[in-house]
């Protein structure tokens, strides 16, 4: 299996090259040259597999044994998921007769990002060790400078996956004051010498734009050998496909008569739900995928109109929820800044432009818009469309896709927008239900969207909502929603032992006073790990 850029760069990369490169030189995202089909007997052969066993089987479809042997892959997977607290890695919990949640927060940082980033960190280490073992006496070992942007959970998950690894330094940019106190503490209290946290005065989109610009700067990229941990890195999407298969089998065992399984996913950067799309394209028999957004609803608006635009051209900032106060937001404030990003109770989804959406658009363009005499010509045409569309988003802030492309998007997905008030109501609803379930605000966005469409579903449709974070990471939103509930006690119901005292621990963070690439470059140039060392003190 080889990989190529969505924007048409000529070269085909191996899996190793794709993982280490992260982002294409033309600004595109890497995708596989084809989506493999599942083995003929997968339903019977895989039905009793554990998460790690499924991981080996699914990943093997995309990774040649000439690159990573089956035994090496199994060792990488076992190492990656040995850090999880639950034996099933991603347990499926029943909330009512037709609704389940897939808990993805049982990794070291209590967020779904651990599923991919524990594996990605070990892949980085594996590839570097193998490359350096091949070097002759006196040759300098290769190093990797990992750079990422976070709206909350990616940062700590990446840090925990890469802390103290030889020849790797990691720089995580987060928007200052726009992540929850627990999220910030999880990142900044890790004081390993190769870990560097940058608090950038700006938004997540500012941080993400800086990261993409760093990768696009070829001289800087080559000098520092940049690696990506955001979901622009293909390995993250691939790792996340596995839990769709796991939950499918778990639900089938519980409900053999399920006619359709519908996944609803709280969505910001579109990576988590894109993994479900790949699983579906591979042959997993599931229904349309539900995109659940908060007030930062660029995706919900796309499915409504076919316009992918940073600001709602129909309503502008006067759209519903634009000035709605969100007392209980993770940082205690709600605002719409000059960029159009709205601060909400679900801050990990406070994203203006969803990077991974480009991957889906490529497939939609290939199927619905690209014309060509052969496969190669259609691929080139699809990449040309993506380069044009993404160029318009960058220059004009919007692009309108053809009707045929929108129709294909609606075939495989639906989208719902959920306000902060609805998020609070949903947290309360499920806590007071028979399941007595405490959902974090992102999961609540998914649950609200699922509940909204459930009445329109055909009989014997079962919903699985992806639960993306532990509720303790968003304590203010949860306690606001459940204030006055007679049986609710945050310490008893929610707070894990690992979070006690976290906010009081020693921290290390570098303030970046403006969202400017040159300021970030200076930090990386000062602290990046010299080849052969573990890290340098800050």
């Amino acid at each position: 299996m080889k990989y190529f850029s969505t924007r048409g760069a000529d070269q085909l990369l191996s899996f190793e090259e794709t993982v280490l490169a992260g982002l294409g030189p033309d600004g595109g995202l890497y995708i596989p040259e084809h989506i493999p089909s599942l083995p003929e007997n997968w339903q019977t052969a895989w039905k009793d597999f554990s998460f790690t066993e499924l991981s080996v089987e699914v990943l093997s479809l995309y990774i040649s044994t000439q690159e990573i042997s089956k035994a090496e892959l199994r060792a990488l997977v076992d190492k990656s998921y040995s850090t999880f607290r639950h034996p099933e890695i991603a347990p499926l919990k029943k909330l009512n007769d037709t609704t389940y949640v897939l808990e993805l927060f049982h990794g070291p940082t209590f967020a779904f990002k651990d599923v991919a980033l524990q594996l990605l960190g070990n892949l980085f280490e594996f590839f570097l060790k193998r490359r350096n073992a091949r070097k002759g006496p006196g040759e300098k070992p290769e190093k990797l400078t990992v750079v990422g942007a976070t709206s909350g959970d990616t940062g700590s998950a990446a840090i925990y996956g890469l802390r103290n690894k030889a020849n790797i330094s990691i720089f995580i940019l987060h928007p200052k004051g726009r992540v929850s106190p627990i999220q910030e503490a999880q990142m900044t209290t890790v004081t390993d010498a190769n870990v560097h946290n940058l608090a950038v005065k700006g938004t997540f989109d500012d941080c993400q734009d800086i990261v993409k610009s760093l990768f696009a700067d070829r001289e800087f990229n080559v000098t520092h050998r940049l690696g990506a941990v955001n979901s622009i890195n293909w390995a993250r999407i691939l790792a996340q496909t596995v839990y769709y298969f796991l939950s499918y089998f778990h639900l089938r065992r519980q409900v053999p008569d399920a006619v359709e399984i519908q996944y609803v996913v709280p969505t910001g950067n579109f990576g988590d739900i894109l993994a479900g799309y790949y699983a579906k394209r591979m042959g997993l028999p599931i229904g349309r995928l539900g995109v659940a957004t908060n007030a930062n609803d660029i995706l919900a608006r796309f499915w409504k109109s076919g316009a992918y635009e940073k600001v709602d051209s129909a309503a502008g900032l006067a759209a519903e929820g634009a000035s709605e106060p969100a007392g209980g937001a993770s940082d205690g404030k709600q605002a719409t800044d000059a960029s159009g990003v709205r601060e909400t109770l679900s801050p990990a989804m406070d994203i203006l432009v969803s990077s991974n959406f480009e991957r889906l658009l490529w497939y939609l363009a290939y199927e619905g818009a690209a014309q060509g005499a052969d496969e190669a010509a259609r691929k080139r045409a699809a990449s040309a469309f993506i380069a044009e569309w993404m160029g318009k988003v960058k220059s004009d802030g919007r692009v309108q896709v053809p009707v045929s492309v929108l129709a294909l998007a609606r075939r495989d997905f639906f989208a719902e927008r959920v306000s902060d008030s609805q998020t609070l109501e949903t947290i309360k609803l499920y806590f007071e239900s028979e399941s007595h379930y405490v959902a974090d605000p992102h999961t609540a966005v998914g649950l609200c969207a699922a509940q909204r469409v459930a009445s329109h579903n055909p009989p014997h449709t079962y919903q699985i909502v992806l639960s993306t974070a532990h509720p303790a990471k968003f304590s203010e939103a949860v306690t606001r929603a459940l204030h006055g509930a007679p049986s609710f006690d945050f310490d008893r119901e929610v707070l894990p032992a690992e979070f006690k005292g976290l906010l009081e621990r020693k921290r290390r963070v570098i303030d970046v006073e403006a969202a400017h690439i040159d300021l970030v470059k200076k930090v990386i140039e000062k602290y990046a790990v010299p080849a052969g060392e573990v890290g340098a003190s800050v």
Side-chain angles (χ1 to χ4, degrees):
M1 178 73 78
K2 297 292 185 180
Y3 297 85
F4 65 95
S5 167
T6 51
R7 300 190 191 181
D10 292 333
Q11 76 269 33
L12 290 174
L13 272 60
S14 67
F15 179 73
E16 176 178 342
E17 291 167 334
T18 300
V19 170
L20 292 177
L23 191 68
D26 54 1
L29 279 64
Y30 288 110
I31 56 176
E33 57 183 345
H34 69 274
I35 299 176
S37 298
L38 297 172
E40 197 169 309
N41 66 338
W42 72 275
Q43 292 248 32
T44 53
W46 295 2
K47 65 183 178 67
D48 297 317
F49 277 7
S50 67
F51 184 91
T52 52
E53 290 168 330
L54 280 172
S55 292
V56 172
E57 295 302 324
V58 173
L59 270 58
S60 293
L61 298 175
Y62 291 88
I63 305 170
S64 167
T65 53
Q66 294 179 327
E67 287 199 71
I68 303 177
S69 71
K70 205 72 172 279
E72 289 171 328
L73 184 58
R74 187 171 293 109
L76 281 165
V77 167
D78 287 343
K79 180 180 180 182
S80 299
Y81 301 114
S82 65
T83 59
F84 279 62
R85 297 180 303 280
H86 198 286
E88 294 179 8
I89 310 301
L92 189 68
K93 297 287 183 71
K94 183 177 181 179
L95 296 188
N96 57 45
D97 289 343
T98 59
T99 309
Y100 294 73
V101 288
L102 180 62
E103 292 188 340
L104 301 173
F105 52 73
H106 293 282
T109 70
F110 295 78
F112 84 97
K113 309 290 178 77
D114 289 320
V115 176
L117 284 165
Q118 284 292 302
L119 177 64
L120 181 58
N122 287 323
L123 284 170
F124 281 152
E125 182 179 49
F126 174 83
F127 290 138
L128 278 185
K129 281 185 176 180
R130 186 166 67 182
R131 289 181 172 212
N132 289 332
R134 295 169 181 164
K135 293 187 178 294
E139 287 188 272
K140 288 185 177 181
E142 291 189 32
K143 63 166 185 163
L144 192 66
T145 303
V146 175
V147 183
T150 185
S151 56
D153 289 330
T154 292
S156 58
I159 287 167
Y160 275 68
L162 290 169
R163 61 190 302 181
N164 206 35
K165 288 191 182 293
N167 295 309
I168 298 175
S169 54
I170 178 168
F171 295 82
I172 294 295
L173 286 64
H174 71 266
K176 187 173 183 178
R178 290 174 177 259
V179 298
S180 80
I182 287 290
Q183 288 175 316
E184 182 180 346
Q186 282 187 305
M187 292 186 286
T188 59
T189 58
V190 177
T191 57
D192 296 70
N194 71 321
V195 173
H196 310 286
N197 283 286
L198 283 67
V200 179
K201 189 174 181 180
T203 67
F204 168 76
D205 288 88
D206 293 329
C207 296
Q208 187 163 246
D209 286 345
I210 290 171
V211 169
K212 289 181 178 179
S213 296
L214 290 171
F215 279 91
D217 186 329
R218 296 192 181 189
E219 182 179 352
F220 190 84
N221 194 336
V222 170
T223 299
H224 293 282
R225 191 69 172 85
L226 300 185
V229 288
N230 284 93
S231 53
I232 57 175
N233 194 307
W234 163 250
R236 279 192 54 179
I237 307 301
L238 179 56
Q240 290 171 194
T241 63
V242 176
Y243 46 69
Y244 286 89
F245 288 92
L246 181 77
S247 55
Y248 169 84
F249 285 121
H250 283 189
L251 184 61
R252 282 292 180 192
R253 284 200 291 271
Q254 295 183 49
V255 191
D257 67 336
V259 173
E260 183 170 289
I261 298 176
Q262 179 184 82
Y263 286 86
V264 181
V265 186
T267 305
N269 225 9
F270 205 73
D272 208 7
I273 196 166
L274 182 69
Y277 174 76
Y278 276 104
K280 183 179 173 71
R281 287 284 305 271
M282 290 165 67
L284 187 67
I286 58 178
R288 288 197 303 160
L289 294 152
V291 179
T293 78
N294 62 17
N296 296 287
D297 59 349
I298 184 172
L299 294 170
R301 287 185 281 110
F302 170 83
W303 262 274
K304 183 178 180 181
S305 67
Y308 187 60
E309 53 186 3
K310 294 181 180 180
V311 178
D312 186 354
S313 59
L317 295 181
E320 185 269 322
S323 59
E324 176 186 354
S330 60
D331 57 4
K333 56 188 177 182
Q334 171 92 2
T336 301
D337 64 23
S339 72
V341 177
R342 299 166 186 168
E343 294 185 49
T344 73
L345 292 167
S346 44
M349 295 157 59
D350 290 352
I351 295 171
L352 203 61
V353 176
S354 302
S355 290
N356 274 291
F357 190 57
E358 179 172 334
R359 285 185 166 114
L360 175 66
L361 282 178
W362 188 93
Y363 290 106
L364 299 179
Y366 172 83
E367 188 176 356
Q371 302 296 319
D374 56 27
E375 176 79 1
R378 289 188 70 190
K379 284 183 175 179
R380 286 194 298 271
S383 295
F385 275 116
I386 294 304
E388 177 188 348
W389 294 348
M390 293 300 101
K392 287 183 178 179
V393 172
K394 185 173 183 178
S395 62
D396 304 336
R398 75 183 306 273
V399 65
Q400 179 78 42
V401 303
V403 173
S404 60
V405 170
L406 177 59
L408 289 169
R410 288 173 172 170
R411 178 195 64 191
D412 292 324
F413 296 86
F414 64 88
E416 294 288 334
R417 178 189 190 275
V418 176
S419 69
D420 275 346
S421 60
Q422 292 165 336
T423 300
L424 292 172
E425 290 166 6
T426 303
I427 294 172
K428 184 177 181 181
L429 174 69
Y430 280 92
F431 179 75
E432 294 180 344
S433 71
E434 188 176 339
S435 65
H436 200 61
Y437 193 79
V438 182
D440 92 286
H442 305 80
T443 304
V445 168
L447 287 168
C448 182
Q451 185 182 37
R452 193 180 295 167
V453 301
S455 60
H456 305 293
N457 285 336
H460 303 290
T461 298
Y462 292 81
Q463 295 176 312
I464 296 177
V465 176
L466 270 55
S467 183
T468 55
H470 193 285
K473 299 191 80 166
F474 304 95
S475 58
E476 292 183 44
V478 172
T479 53
R480 173 175 163 81
L482 300 180
H483 179 70
S487 61
F488 177 68
D489 182 296
F490 183 82
D491 288 353
R492 184 186 71 241
E493 304 272 357
V494 178
L495 191 66
E498 291 88 342
F499 285 6
K500 293 177 180 177
L502 180 62
L503 297 177
E504 287 73 49
R505 292 180 194 167
K506 179 183 176 182
R507 305 188 187 200
R508 195 176 67 194
V509 62
I510 300 166
D511 285 323
V512 178
E513 291 304 315
H516 197 288
I517 187 173
D518 289 340
L519 297 177
V520 174
K521 279 183 176 180
K522 287 180 181 178
V523 175
I524 294 173
E525 288 166 347
K526 182 175 182 180
Y527 297 119
V529 179
E533 296 181 17
V534 172
S537 297
V538 178

